[in-house]
Amino acid sequence: MSDVVSLLSQIEDTGRDTRGPGYQRPGFSATERELREWFLAEADRRGLDTEIDANGITWAWATPQGANAVVTGSHLDSVPGGGEFDGPLGVASALAAFDVLKATGALDQSTRPFALGVFPEEEGSRFGVACLGSRLLTGAIEADRALGLKDAAGDTFADVARGYGLDPDRIGRDQSRLAGIGSFIELHVEQGIGLAGTDQAVAIGSSIIGHGRWHCAFSGQGNHAGTTPMSHRADPVVAASRVIGDIPTLAAATDASAVATVGRTLIHPGGTNVIASSMSFWLDIRHPDDAVVKQVLEAISRRAKDHGADSGVEVTISQESYSPTTHFTADLNSRLTSVLPDAPLLPSGAGHDAGILAPHVPSAMLYVRNPTGVSHAPEEACEVDDQRAGVDALVKVLARELGIEHALAGSVGGPTAGGAR
Protein backbone atom coordinates (compact mmCIF):
# COMPACT_ATOMS: atom_id res chain seq x y z
CA MET A 1 0.00 0.00 0.00
CA SER A 2 1.52 3.33 -1.14
CA ASP A 3 1.19 6.58 0.73
CA VAL A 4 0.22 9.66 -1.30
CA VAL A 5 3.47 11.36 -0.30
CA SER A 6 5.60 8.52 -1.66
CA LEU A 7 3.53 8.39 -4.85
CA LEU A 8 4.11 12.08 -5.52
CA SER A 9 7.81 11.66 -4.81
CA GLN A 10 8.02 9.21 -7.72
CA ILE A 11 7.18 11.96 -10.22
CA GLU A 12 8.59 15.04 -8.48
CA ASP A 13 11.41 15.33 -11.04
CA THR A 14 9.31 14.61 -14.12
CA GLY A 15 8.85 17.75 -16.19
CA ARG A 16 10.85 20.07 -13.95
CA ASP A 17 11.47 23.33 -15.79
CA THR A 18 15.16 23.40 -16.76
CA ARG A 19 15.02 27.19 -17.10
CA GLY A 20 13.87 27.91 -13.56
CA PRO A 21 11.54 26.75 -10.78
CA GLY A 22 8.28 25.02 -11.51
CA TYR A 23 7.17 22.45 -14.06
CA GLN A 24 6.64 22.18 -17.80
CA ARG A 25 4.09 19.42 -18.37
CA PRO A 26 2.11 20.37 -21.50
CA GLY A 27 -0.85 18.28 -22.55
CA PHE A 28 -0.25 15.56 -25.13
CA SER A 29 3.52 15.99 -24.77
CA ALA A 30 6.37 13.56 -24.19
CA THR A 31 6.37 14.63 -20.53
CA GLU A 32 2.66 14.02 -20.09
CA ARG A 33 3.11 10.66 -21.83
CA GLU A 34 5.82 9.79 -19.27
CA LEU A 35 3.44 10.73 -16.45
CA ARG A 36 0.67 8.70 -18.04
CA GLU A 37 2.99 5.69 -18.26
CA TRP A 38 3.76 6.15 -14.56
CA PHE A 39 0.05 6.07 -13.76
CA LEU A 40 -0.53 3.04 -15.97
CA ALA A 41 2.35 1.21 -14.29
CA GLU A 42 0.97 2.02 -10.82
CA ALA A 43 -2.49 0.87 -11.91
CA ASP A 44 -1.13 -2.34 -13.39
CA ARG A 45 0.81 -3.01 -10.20
CA ARG A 46 -2.51 -2.88 -8.35
CA GLY A 47 -4.19 -5.24 -10.79
CA LEU A 48 -6.47 -2.55 -12.24
CA ASP A 49 -7.84 -2.95 -15.76
CA THR A 50 -6.48 0.03 -17.74
CA GLU A 51 -7.54 1.62 -21.00
CA ILE A 52 -7.08 4.87 -22.91
CA ASP A 53 -10.33 5.90 -24.53
CA ALA A 54 -10.93 7.62 -27.86
CA ASN A 55 -10.46 11.07 -26.32
CA GLY A 56 -7.16 10.27 -24.60
CA ILE A 57 -8.68 9.87 -21.13
CA THR A 58 -6.96 7.14 -19.11
CA TRP A 59 -9.17 4.81 -17.07
CA ALA A 60 -8.17 2.24 -14.46
CA TRP A 61 -10.99 -0.06 -13.38
CA ALA A 62 -10.95 -1.80 -10.03
CA THR A 63 -14.05 -3.77 -11.05
CA PRO A 64 -15.64 -4.77 -14.36
CA GLN A 65 -17.12 -1.77 -16.14
CA GLY A 66 -20.82 -1.25 -15.60
CA ALA A 67 -23.59 1.21 -14.88
CA ASN A 68 -23.63 3.70 -12.01
CA ALA A 69 -19.84 3.66 -11.63
CA VAL A 70 -18.00 5.70 -9.00
CA VAL A 71 -15.02 7.50 -10.54
CA THR A 72 -12.28 9.62 -8.99
CA GLY A 73 -9.22 11.26 -10.51
CA SER A 74 -7.81 14.47 -11.95
CA HIS A 75 -5.08 15.46 -14.45
CA LEU A 76 -1.30 15.30 -14.81
CA ASP A 77 -0.51 18.19 -17.17
CA SER A 78 0.47 21.66 -15.90
CA VAL A 79 0.54 25.28 -16.94
CA PRO A 80 3.96 26.63 -17.99
CA GLY A 81 5.99 27.07 -14.81
CA GLY A 82 3.27 25.43 -12.75
CA GLY A 83 3.44 23.95 -9.28
CA GLU A 84 3.92 20.40 -8.05
CA PHE A 85 0.39 19.60 -6.89
CA ASP A 86 -2.03 21.06 -9.46
CA GLY A 87 -3.38 17.87 -10.98
CA PRO A 88 -0.97 15.19 -9.69
CA LEU A 89 -2.24 15.50 -6.11
CA GLY A 90 -5.66 14.31 -7.25
CA VAL A 91 -4.24 11.42 -9.26
CA ALA A 92 -1.86 10.25 -6.51
CA SER A 93 -4.67 10.60 -3.94
CA ALA A 94 -6.94 8.43 -6.09
CA LEU A 95 -4.30 5.68 -6.14
CA ALA A 96 -3.71 6.02 -2.39
CA ALA A 97 -7.45 5.94 -1.67
CA PHE A 98 -7.80 2.77 -3.72
CA ASP A 99 -4.98 1.24 -1.68
CA VAL A 100 -6.83 1.94 1.57
CA LEU A 101 -10.14 0.58 0.29
CA LYS A 102 -8.45 -2.54 -1.03
CA ALA A 103 -6.28 -3.15 2.03
CA THR A 104 -9.25 -3.00 4.41
CA GLY A 105 -11.22 -5.44 2.29
CA ALA A 106 -14.09 -2.95 2.09
CA LEU A 107 -13.86 -2.65 -1.69
CA ASP A 108 -14.69 -6.33 -2.12
CA GLN A 109 -18.13 -5.65 -0.64
CA SER A 110 -19.10 -2.96 -3.15
CA THR A 111 -21.76 -3.65 -5.75
CA ARG A 112 -20.97 -0.51 -7.78
CA PRO A 113 -18.21 -0.32 -10.39
CA PHE A 114 -15.20 1.77 -9.37
CA ALA A 115 -12.57 3.47 -11.53
CA LEU A 116 -9.76 6.02 -11.46
CA GLY A 117 -9.53 8.54 -14.30
CA VAL A 118 -6.81 10.84 -15.68
CA PHE A 119 -7.93 13.62 -18.02
CA PRO A 120 -5.56 15.08 -20.66
CA GLU A 121 -4.94 18.76 -21.48
CA GLU A 122 -6.86 20.05 -18.47
CA GLU A 123 -4.88 23.28 -18.36
CA GLY A 124 -5.23 24.00 -22.08
CA SER A 125 -1.63 25.15 -22.16
CA ARG A 126 -0.92 23.47 -25.49
CA PHE A 127 -4.06 23.93 -27.59
CA GLY A 128 -5.68 26.87 -25.79
CA VAL A 129 -8.84 25.09 -24.65
CA ALA A 130 -8.96 24.12 -20.99
CA CYS A 131 -10.30 20.70 -19.97
CA LEU A 132 -10.05 19.47 -23.56
CA GLY A 133 -10.40 15.78 -22.66
CA SER A 134 -13.56 16.24 -20.59
CA ARG A 135 -14.97 18.72 -23.13
CA LEU A 136 -14.56 16.12 -25.87
CA LEU A 137 -16.09 13.40 -23.68
CA THR A 138 -19.18 15.51 -22.94
CA GLY A 139 -19.47 17.18 -26.34
CA ALA A 140 -18.80 20.61 -24.80
CA ILE A 141 -16.50 21.17 -27.79
CA GLU A 142 -17.25 19.88 -31.26
CA ALA A 143 -14.79 17.25 -32.47
CA ASP A 144 -14.14 19.05 -35.76
CA ARG A 145 -13.23 22.25 -33.98
CA ALA A 146 -10.98 20.42 -31.52
CA LEU A 147 -9.16 18.55 -34.27
CA GLY A 148 -8.37 21.84 -35.99
CA LEU A 149 -6.84 23.48 -32.91
CA LYS A 150 -3.14 24.35 -33.32
CA ASP A 151 -0.33 24.55 -30.80
CA ALA A 152 2.45 27.15 -30.80
CA ALA A 153 4.43 25.09 -33.32
CA GLY A 154 1.50 25.00 -35.74
CA ASP A 155 0.73 21.32 -35.18
CA THR A 156 -2.96 20.49 -35.21
CA PHE A 157 -4.60 18.52 -32.45
CA ALA A 158 -5.55 15.94 -35.08
CA ASP A 159 -1.90 15.31 -35.93
CA VAL A 160 -0.78 15.31 -32.30
CA ALA A 161 -3.64 12.95 -31.36
CA ARG A 162 -2.50 10.48 -34.02
CA GLY A 163 1.02 10.59 -32.58
CA TYR A 164 -0.52 9.91 -29.17
CA GLY A 165 -2.13 6.74 -30.52
CA LEU A 166 -5.63 8.17 -30.97
CA ASP A 167 -7.89 7.90 -34.01
CA PRO A 168 -9.22 11.36 -34.96
CA ASP A 169 -12.30 9.75 -36.50
CA ARG A 170 -13.32 8.38 -33.08
CA ILE A 171 -12.74 11.56 -31.06
CA GLY A 172 -15.83 13.27 -29.63
CA ARG A 173 -18.79 12.90 -27.29
CA ASP A 174 -19.03 9.45 -25.71
CA GLN A 175 -22.60 9.08 -24.50
CA SER A 176 -22.26 5.45 -23.45
CA ARG A 177 -19.33 6.21 -21.16
CA LEU A 178 -21.06 9.25 -19.67
CA ALA A 179 -24.18 7.18 -19.03
CA GLY A 180 -22.12 4.68 -17.06
CA ILE A 181 -20.79 7.22 -14.54
CA GLY A 182 -22.96 7.45 -11.44
CA SER A 183 -20.72 9.91 -9.56
CA PHE A 184 -17.42 11.64 -10.21
CA ILE A 185 -15.33 13.04 -7.34
CA GLU A 186 -12.21 15.07 -8.09
CA LEU A 187 -9.70 15.93 -5.37
CA HIS A 188 -7.51 18.97 -6.07
CA VAL A 189 -5.11 21.22 -4.25
CA GLU A 190 -6.89 24.45 -3.36
CA GLN A 191 -5.89 27.26 -5.70
CA GLY A 192 -6.65 30.19 -3.45
CA ILE A 193 -6.72 31.31 0.17
CA GLY A 194 -10.04 29.76 1.22
CA LEU A 195 -8.42 27.25 3.59
CA ALA A 196 -5.10 28.97 4.27
CA GLY A 197 -4.82 29.92 7.94
CA THR A 198 -7.87 27.87 8.94
CA ASP A 199 -7.98 24.67 11.02
CA GLN A 200 -9.52 22.70 8.16
CA ALA A 201 -7.40 20.70 5.72
CA VAL A 202 -10.22 19.81 3.32
CA ALA A 203 -13.17 21.67 1.82
CA ILE A 204 -16.07 20.58 -0.39
CA GLY A 205 -16.49 22.47 -3.65
CA SER A 206 -19.77 24.34 -4.03
CA SER A 207 -19.35 25.90 -7.46
CA ILE A 208 -16.94 27.02 -10.17
CA ILE A 209 -17.40 30.57 -11.36
CA GLY A 210 -17.97 31.33 -15.02
CA HIS A 211 -14.81 31.81 -17.02
CA GLY A 212 -13.67 32.05 -20.60
CA ARG A 213 -10.68 32.61 -22.86
CA TRP A 214 -10.48 34.91 -25.86
CA HIS A 215 -7.81 35.39 -28.53
CA CYS A 216 -7.23 39.07 -29.25
CA ALA A 217 -5.37 39.67 -32.54
CA PHE A 218 -3.94 43.04 -33.63
CA SER A 219 -2.76 43.31 -37.25
CA GLY A 220 -0.68 46.27 -38.43
CA GLN A 221 2.12 47.01 -40.88
CA GLY A 222 5.53 45.48 -40.38
CA ASN A 223 8.30 47.92 -41.18
CA HIS A 224 11.83 49.08 -40.44
CA ALA A 225 12.43 50.31 -36.89
CA GLY A 226 14.96 52.92 -37.95
CA THR A 227 13.49 54.39 -41.12
CA THR A 228 9.78 54.62 -40.31
CA PRO A 229 8.69 57.88 -38.61
CA MET A 230 6.49 57.49 -35.55
CA SER A 231 3.73 59.33 -37.40
CA HIS A 232 3.72 56.77 -40.22
CA ARG A 233 3.43 53.60 -38.18
CA ALA A 234 0.61 51.08 -37.77
CA ASP A 235 2.15 49.32 -34.80
CA PRO A 236 0.07 46.49 -33.34
CA VAL A 237 2.30 46.26 -30.25
CA VAL A 238 1.41 49.81 -29.28
CA ALA A 239 -2.33 49.23 -29.69
CA ALA A 240 -2.34 45.88 -27.91
CA SER A 241 -0.18 47.15 -25.06
CA ARG A 242 -2.52 50.06 -24.46
CA VAL A 243 -5.44 47.65 -24.22
CA ILE A 244 -3.57 45.40 -21.80
CA GLY A 245 -2.79 48.38 -19.62
CA ASP A 246 -6.48 49.32 -19.51
CA ILE A 247 -7.81 45.87 -18.62
CA PRO A 248 -7.49 46.09 -14.80
CA THR A 249 -9.38 49.38 -14.73
CA LEU A 250 -12.07 48.18 -17.13
CA ALA A 251 -12.68 44.98 -15.15
CA ALA A 252 -12.86 46.79 -11.80
CA ALA A 253 -15.17 49.46 -13.23
CA THR A 254 -17.57 46.77 -14.44
CA ASP A 255 -17.66 44.80 -11.17
CA ALA A 256 -15.29 44.86 -8.21
CA SER A 257 -15.16 41.05 -8.05
CA ALA A 258 -14.52 40.51 -11.76
CA VAL A 259 -11.04 39.33 -12.75
CA ALA A 260 -9.43 39.68 -16.17
CA THR A 261 -5.95 38.48 -17.01
CA VAL A 262 -3.47 38.52 -19.87
CA GLY A 263 -0.87 35.84 -19.26
CA ARG A 264 0.32 35.09 -22.78
CA THR A 265 1.33 37.31 -25.70
CA LEU A 266 2.77 36.62 -29.15
CA ILE A 267 4.54 39.15 -31.36
CA HIS A 268 5.30 38.45 -35.02
CA PRO A 269 7.91 38.38 -36.43
CA GLY A 270 9.70 39.27 -33.18
CA GLY A 271 12.77 41.09 -34.48
CA THR A 272 14.47 43.67 -32.27
CA ASN A 273 14.81 46.15 -35.14
CA VAL A 274 11.45 45.36 -36.73
CA ILE A 275 8.08 47.03 -36.24
CA ALA A 276 5.83 44.03 -35.68
CA SER A 277 3.22 43.11 -38.25
CA SER A 278 0.96 41.49 -35.65
CA MET A 279 0.52 40.95 -31.95
CA SER A 280 -1.86 38.63 -30.16
CA PHE A 281 -2.74 38.15 -26.54
CA TRP A 282 -5.00 35.71 -24.76
CA LEU A 283 -7.59 37.14 -22.37
CA ASP A 284 -9.03 35.26 -19.39
CA ILE A 285 -12.18 36.67 -17.69
CA ARG A 286 -13.97 35.21 -14.65
CA HIS A 287 -16.99 36.12 -12.51
CA PRO A 288 -19.83 34.21 -10.77
CA ASP A 289 -22.41 36.06 -12.91
CA ASP A 290 -22.09 35.13 -16.58
CA ALA A 291 -23.67 38.46 -17.55
CA VAL A 292 -20.80 40.30 -15.84
CA VAL A 293 -18.25 38.27 -17.79
CA LYS A 294 -20.00 39.40 -20.97
CA GLN A 295 -19.97 43.03 -19.80
CA VAL A 296 -16.24 42.93 -19.04
CA LEU A 297 -15.54 41.40 -22.45
CA GLU A 298 -17.65 44.07 -24.16
CA ALA A 299 -15.82 46.87 -22.33
CA ILE A 300 -12.41 45.46 -23.27
CA SER A 301 -13.53 44.85 -26.86
CA ARG A 302 -14.70 48.45 -27.25
CA ARG A 303 -11.42 49.76 -25.87
CA ALA A 304 -9.47 47.46 -28.19
CA LYS A 305 -11.36 48.75 -31.22
CA ASP A 306 -10.71 52.34 -30.13
CA HIS A 307 -6.98 51.81 -29.66
CA GLY A 308 -6.84 49.88 -32.91
CA ALA A 309 -8.50 52.74 -34.80
CA ASP A 310 -6.15 55.30 -33.22
CA SER A 311 -3.12 53.25 -34.28
CA GLY A 312 -4.32 52.20 -37.73
CA VAL A 313 -4.46 48.57 -36.59
CA GLU A 314 -7.12 45.94 -37.31
CA VAL A 315 -8.49 44.13 -34.24
CA THR A 316 -10.15 40.70 -34.12
CA ILE A 317 -11.39 39.07 -30.91
CA SER A 318 -12.49 35.44 -30.97
CA GLN A 319 -13.70 33.15 -28.21
CA GLU A 320 -11.64 30.02 -27.60
CA SER A 321 -13.62 28.54 -24.71
CA TYR A 322 -16.28 29.42 -22.20
CA SER A 323 -17.68 27.63 -19.16
CA PRO A 324 -20.68 29.18 -17.41
CA THR A 325 -20.90 29.20 -13.64
CA THR A 326 -21.33 25.60 -12.52
CA HIS A 327 -22.87 24.41 -9.25
CA PHE A 328 -21.90 20.94 -8.18
CA THR A 329 -24.61 18.30 -7.79
CA ALA A 330 -26.63 19.10 -4.65
CA ASP A 331 -27.51 15.51 -3.72
CA LEU A 332 -23.93 14.35 -4.09
CA ASN A 333 -22.63 17.29 -2.06
CA SER A 334 -25.13 16.43 0.67
CA ARG A 335 -23.66 12.96 0.85
CA LEU A 336 -20.14 14.41 1.02
CA THR A 337 -21.23 16.68 3.86
CA SER A 338 -22.72 13.74 5.74
CA VAL A 339 -19.31 12.04 5.96
CA LEU A 340 -17.26 15.26 6.21
CA PRO A 341 -19.47 17.40 8.49
CA ASP A 342 -16.70 19.82 9.45
CA ALA A 343 -15.57 20.54 5.88
CA PRO A 344 -16.59 24.01 4.68
CA LEU A 345 -18.26 24.59 1.33
CA LEU A 346 -15.93 26.52 -0.96
CA PRO A 347 -16.58 28.18 -4.35
CA SER A 348 -13.68 28.24 -6.77
CA GLY A 349 -12.45 30.63 -9.42
CA ALA A 350 -10.42 27.83 -11.02
CA GLY A 351 -11.82 25.54 -13.71
CA HIS A 352 -11.71 21.75 -13.39
CA ASP A 353 -12.77 18.66 -15.32
CA ALA A 354 -15.38 18.05 -12.61
CA GLY A 355 -16.98 21.35 -13.61
CA ILE A 356 -17.22 20.23 -17.25
CA LEU A 357 -18.69 16.88 -16.23
CA ALA A 358 -21.16 18.36 -13.71
CA PRO A 359 -23.96 19.20 -16.22
CA HIS A 360 -23.82 15.61 -17.48
CA VAL A 361 -23.04 13.36 -14.49
CA PRO A 362 -23.27 13.87 -10.70
CA SER A 363 -19.97 15.54 -9.82
CA ALA A 364 -18.23 16.93 -6.75
CA MET A 365 -14.85 18.26 -5.64
CA LEU A 366 -12.65 18.11 -2.58
CA TYR A 367 -10.06 20.88 -2.08
CA VAL A 368 -6.96 20.31 0.02
CA ARG A 369 -5.41 23.24 1.91
CA ASN A 370 -2.70 25.27 0.21
CA PRO A 371 -0.89 27.31 2.91
CA THR A 372 0.55 29.82 0.43
CA GLY A 373 -2.69 30.41 -1.46
CA VAL A 374 -0.54 30.51 -4.61
CA SER A 375 -1.23 28.26 -7.58
CA HIS A 376 -0.12 28.04 -11.22
CA ALA A 377 3.30 28.96 -9.86
CA PRO A 378 6.22 27.18 -8.14
CA GLU A 379 5.14 28.51 -4.72
CA GLU A 380 2.07 26.29 -4.77
CA ALA A 381 2.20 24.09 -1.66
CA CYS A 382 0.46 21.33 0.24
CA GLU A 383 1.79 20.07 3.56
CA VAL A 384 2.38 16.36 4.08
CA ASP A 385 -0.26 16.03 6.81
CA ASP A 386 -2.78 17.80 4.61
CA GLN A 387 -2.04 15.50 1.67
CA ARG A 388 -2.82 12.55 3.91
CA ALA A 389 -5.92 14.26 5.32
CA GLY A 390 -7.12 14.70 1.74
CA VAL A 391 -6.76 10.97 1.11
CA ASP A 392 -8.65 10.19 4.35
CA ALA A 393 -11.47 12.46 3.21
CA LEU A 394 -11.52 10.93 -0.27
CA VAL A 395 -11.65 7.42 1.18
CA LYS A 396 -14.67 8.34 3.32
CA VAL A 397 -16.45 9.91 0.36
CA LEU A 398 -15.73 6.98 -1.95
CA ALA A 399 -16.82 4.49 0.70
CA ARG A 400 -20.11 6.38 1.04
CA GLU A 401 -20.67 6.35 -2.71
CA LEU A 402 -19.70 2.69 -3.04
CA GLY A 403 -22.00 1.76 -0.16
CA ILE A 404 -19.21 0.23 1.91
CA GLU A 405 -18.83 2.76 4.74
CA HIS A 406 -19.97 0.13 7.23
CA ALA A 407 -17.10 -2.14 6.16
CA LEU A 408 -14.64 0.71 6.49
CA ALA A 409 -15.65 1.81 9.99
CA GLY A 410 -12.65 2.24 12.26
CA SER A 411 -10.05 1.76 9.53
CA VAL A 412 -9.63 5.44 8.56
CA GLY A 413 -9.97 8.76 10.29
CA GLY A 414 -6.66 8.92 12.09
CA PRO A 415 -4.98 12.03 13.46
CA THR A 416 -4.81 13.82 10.10
CA ALA A 417 -8.46 13.35 9.15
CA GLY A 418 -9.76 16.14 11.34
CA GLY A 419 -7.77 18.76 9.52
CA ALA A 420 -5.13 19.78 12.12
CA ARG A 421 -1.66 20.47 10.83
Side-chain angles (χ1 to χ4, degrees):
M1 186 168 76
S2 297
D3 180 79
V4 63
V5 179
S6 64
L7 285 165
L8 286 171
S9 71
Q10 295 174 17
I11 56 172
E12 63 183 354
D13 292 326
T14 305
R16 279 195 184 274
D17 194 339
T18 58
R19 301 167 298 179
Y23 290 84
Q24 296 286 345
R25 294 167 166 171
F28 293 100
S29 65
T31 300
E32 190 191 38
R33 185 190 297 270
E34 183 178 348
L35 292 166
R36 183 187 69 178
E37 291 302 319
W38 164 79
F39 174 77
L40 287 170
E42 286 297 315
D44 289 344
R45 189 165 66 83
R46 289 163 171 79
L48 304 181
D49 185 13
T50 59
E51 62 167 327
I52 299 171
D53 72 11
N55 294 310
I57 303 167
T58 304
W59 304 88
W61 290 89
T63 61
Q65 295 188 40
N68 201 28
V70 177
V71 180
T72 187
S74 192
H75 64 98
L76 290 168
D77 62 310
S78 78
V79 297
E84 180 180 358
F85 301 100
D86 183 355
L89 178 64
V91 176
S93 295
L95 288 166
F98 166 82
D99 287 343
V100 173
L101 293 171
K102 186 66 175 177
T104 60
L107 191 58
D108 297 333
Q109 301 186 38
S110 174
T111 59
R112 292 182 67 180
F114 176 46
L116 315 184
V118 179
F119 291 81
E121 183 67 342
E122 192 271 353
E123 298 292 3
S125 59
R126 181 162 188 180
F127 292 101
V129 176
C131 302
L132 184 58
S134 55
R135 287 182 190 275
L136 286 167
L137 171 65
T138 60
I141 184 172
E142 294 292 333
D144 287 345
R145 183 190 164 214
L147 292 169
L149 295 171
K150 292 184 178 181
D151 63 13
D155 296 323
T156 66
F157 175 58
D159 289 339
V160 171
R162 288 189 190 95
Y164 211 69
L166 304 180
D167 180 356
D169 292 335
R170 297 179 58 228
I171 285 173
R173 180 178 169 86
D174 189 341
Q175 178 56 38
S176 62
R177 191 173 294 274
L178 282 173
I181 301 175
S183 53
F184 176 71
I185 298 99
E186 180 175 5
L187 180 145
H188 204 281
V189 67
E190 204 225 328
Q191 295 180 274
I193 59 174
L195 292 174
T198 74
D199 63 354
Q200 295 298 319
V202 178
I204 298 168
S206 60
S207 62
I208 295 177
I209 69 173
H211 58 284
R213 296 180 183 182
W214 290 264
H215 178 239
C216 305
F218 295 71
S219 299
Q221 177 60 60
N223 215 328
H224 195 291
T227 63
T228 310
M230 301 303 289
S231 58
H232 287 67
R233 299 185 179 202
D235 190 339
V237 175
V238 172
S241 298
R242 287 172 176 165
V243 178
I244 293 171
D246 289 342
I247 286 173
T249 301
L250 293 171
T254 305
D255 190 287
S257 59
V259 292
T261 306
V262 174
R264 179 185 170 200
T265 64
L266 180 64
I267 297 174
H268 181 79
T272 304
N273 60 344
V274 177
I275 300 169
S277 58
S278 65
M279 176 172 172
S280 295
F281 64 78
W282 282 260
L283 174 65
D284 182 300
I285 306 174
R286 308 187 187 214
H287 190 275
D289 186 339
D290 297 325
V292 173
V293 174
K294 182 179 180 181
Q295 292 167 9
V296 174
L297 176 63
E298 290 173 345
I300 294 171
S301 298
R302 286 194 299 269
R303 188 64 57 88
K305 298 291 186 181
D306 290 343
H307 284 312
D310 291 343
S311 303
V313 168
E314 182 180 348
V315 180
T316 303
I317 298 177
S318 56
Q319 180 177 299
E320 290 199 335
S321 65
Y322 188 75
S323 299
T325 293
T326 299
H327 295 275
F328 289 112
T329 310
D331 289 346
L332 179 55
N333 264 10
S334 293
R335 296 197 293 273
L336 266 64
T337 300
S338 72
V339 295
L340 301 173
D342 296 328
L345 287 171
L346 195 66
S348 175
H352 300 283
D353 290 305
I356 302 299
L357 292 174
H360 307 272
V361 301
S363 301
M365 289 200 70
L366 296 175
Y367 297 119
V368 183
R369 181 167 48 196
N370 175 351
T372 68
V374 175
S375 189
H376 283 186
E379 293 80 9
E380 178 182 271
C382 187
E383 296 182 2
V384 166
D385 283 351
D386 288 355
Q387 294 173 41
R388 291 173 174 146
V391 173
D392 284 350
L394 182 60
V395 166
K396 292 176 181 177
V397 168
L398 293 174
R400 173 66 179 80
E401 288 303 288
L402 291 165
I404 55 176
E405 63 266 40
H406 60 285
L408 199 67
S411 60
V412 295
T416 63
R421 291 183 189 272

